[in-house]
Amino acid sequence: MSSTWARAALTHCAFHGLPATVLADLTIELAPNWEAAREDQLLAKRGRARHRAAGAGRPPTLVFTDALLITLAYLRTGITQQLLGVLFSVDQSTVSRAICLLRPLIAARGLATPTGGPRLHELADVLAYAQATGFDLCIDATDITVRRPPAAKTGRRRFVSGAKRRNTIKTTVISDQAGRLLYAGTFRPGRMHDQTAIKTEGIDDLLQHFTRVRIWADEGYRGLSRDHPGQVITKPPLPNDLPADIEQAIIDARKVHCQQRIPIEQVIGRMKNWRTLAHHPGRRETLPETILAVASLVSDLTATR
């Protein structure tokens, strides 16, 4: 099987989920970064500066275009590295090295905004952007299944999610009400509560600083709603034994709240379409980098909405 055929096949959007224009822009953006990262790897391996001009010596086993297509296909479809190696007639270790080199470059891009300004990296960037634009935000956390830690490992139980009943890592996701992904981060063990996770990221202080930001959240964030009334909005509770008219008014308010925060559920669904986030096949230590890489690519798709 020729690498030309494999390259033509993996260029199809079914393998990476990106429009041709987004893929072309991504290729142009990452090519110099990839070359610089590769030179840094070679420098660390040699332990000295080059004796020959750049470009001399043995060429890379995988050129940049092939390495990018392999990384995107791996993130999107969860296809095994061994099978990708068969497609390009290289060893599985070569595929692994290509992914390990490109994945952090994609993750470091940050998340795109509809205004086309600087990409967002931190939680503070998102709240500052929301206050400047006047957009309401939606927040929720999602659990991603990971490998079970060894029996003798300290803190093994902290990865067990009470909701999922399996070993997970929790990440917090934020979007605006147009369904544009703006933040994915706050990586914590699955046993930690959603609200506790985002509080450890310092959201209390940020909300006190960005007072005009409004966030729609589910019942798991009621403590934030109590501490920051009018800024964090959760679904009103529905007590028992209420008069019929009051009960109906609360039901209607709960429906409106669901309509306001449904974009975050749709954004999380789009992220989980990338199979490496539906069930992470690799080491737990690489999951945050994988989430950031996928979020960066998904934000490119949602920024134009």
Side-chain angles (χ1 to χ4, degrees):
M1 183 179 300
S2 68
S3 59
T4 303
W5 182 91
R7 187 182 306 121
L10 264 65
T11 305
H12 195 280
C13 65
F15 285 96
H16 51 71
L18 302 176
T21 54
V22 174
L23 180 61
D25 292 341
L26 185 67
T27 304
I28 295 171
E29 177 186 348
L30 292 180
N33 298 339
W34 176 82
E35 187 62 39
R38 183 171 177 273
E39 285 297 325
D40 289 343
Q41 277 192 349
L42 293 175
L43 178 61
K45 186 176 181 180
R46 290 191 305 264
R48 56 174 173 77
R50 272 184 172 275
H51 286 174
R52 292 183 290 183
R58 189 180 67 180
T61 308
L62 286 172
V63 298
F64 167 70
T65 304
D66 293 345
L68 178 61
L69 291 175
I70 283 174
T71 303
L72 294 177
Y74 175 75
L75 293 174
R76 175 71 177 182
T77 66
I79 188 172
T80 64
Q81 296 179 6
Q82 184 177 11
L83 181 53
L84 287 168
V86 171
L87 291 176
F88 285 87
S89 302
V90 297
D91 193 71
Q92 180 269 333
S93 60
T94 303
V95 173
S96 178
R97 286 193 297 270
I99 294 173
C100 290
L101 183 62
L102 262 170
R103 184 173 52 198
L105 299 181
I106 300 174
R109 298 172 66 232
L111 278 70
T113 62
T115 58
R119 299 177 75 93
L120 307 176
H121 293 84
E122 304 293 338
L123 183 60
D125 299 338
V126 178
L127 269 65
Y129 167 80
Q131 178 153 299
T133 58
F135 290 147
D136 282 3
L137 301 177
C138 303
I139 187 173
D140 202 358
T142 183
D143 290 282
I144 298 173
T145 305
V146 294
R147 293 179 181 177
R148 190 179 187 186
K153 186 175 179 64
T154 304
R156 185 189 192 200
R157 291 185 59 192
R158 65 196 181 101
F159 288 97
V160 180
S161 168
K164 298 292 184 180
R165 302 295 181 185
R166 61 185 67 178
N167 291 268
T168 66
I169 286 181
K170 187 185 301 295
T171 182
T172 302
V173 182
I174 298 177
S175 74
D176 62 14
Q177 289 192 302
R180 293 181 285 246
L181 177 60
L182 301 176
Y183 177 79
T186 315
F187 310 109
R188 300 292 186 271
R191 195 177 186 88
M192 184 176 290
H193 192 274
D194 297 358
Q195 180 177 255
T196 305
I198 194 63
K199 278 193 170 186
T200 60
E201 200 71 13
I203 194 171
D204 281 308
D205 294 336
L206 291 173
L207 285 172
Q208 291 175 6
H209 182 72
F210 300 105
T211 56
R212 296 197 304 274
V213 173
R214 188 165 62 169
I215 304 176
W216 297 82
D218 62 13
E219 290 92 331
Y221 297 90
R222 281 182 178 169
L224 277 177
S225 177
R226 181 193 63 241
D227 297 338
H228 306 277
Q231 286 187 276
V232 180
I233 305 171
T234 57
K235 187 183 295 185
L238 184 61
N240 297 324
D241 302 326
L242 289 175
D245 55 341
I246 297 178
E247 181 179 357
Q248 186 59 45
I250 296 178
I251 291 175
D252 293 340
R254 289 168 64 90
K255 288 182 179 179
V256 170
H257 183 275
C258 290
Q259 294 169 357
Q260 294 293 332
R261 65 170 299 275
I262 194 62
I264 191 62
E265 303 290 352
Q266 297 169 344
V267 166
I268 291 175
R270 295 193 71 164
M271 292 179 63
K272 292 293 185 72
N273 282 337
W274 295 67
R275 299 304 300 169
T276 49
L277 297 191
H279 184 112
H280 185 58
R283 301 169 59 209
R284 292 187 307 279
E285 293 78 9
T286 65
L287 179 57
E289 187 177 86
T290 301
I291 294 173
L292 291 175
V294 170
S296 175
L297 298 169
V298 173
S299 72
D300 289 332
L301 301 177
T302 61
T304 56
R305 300 186 65 177

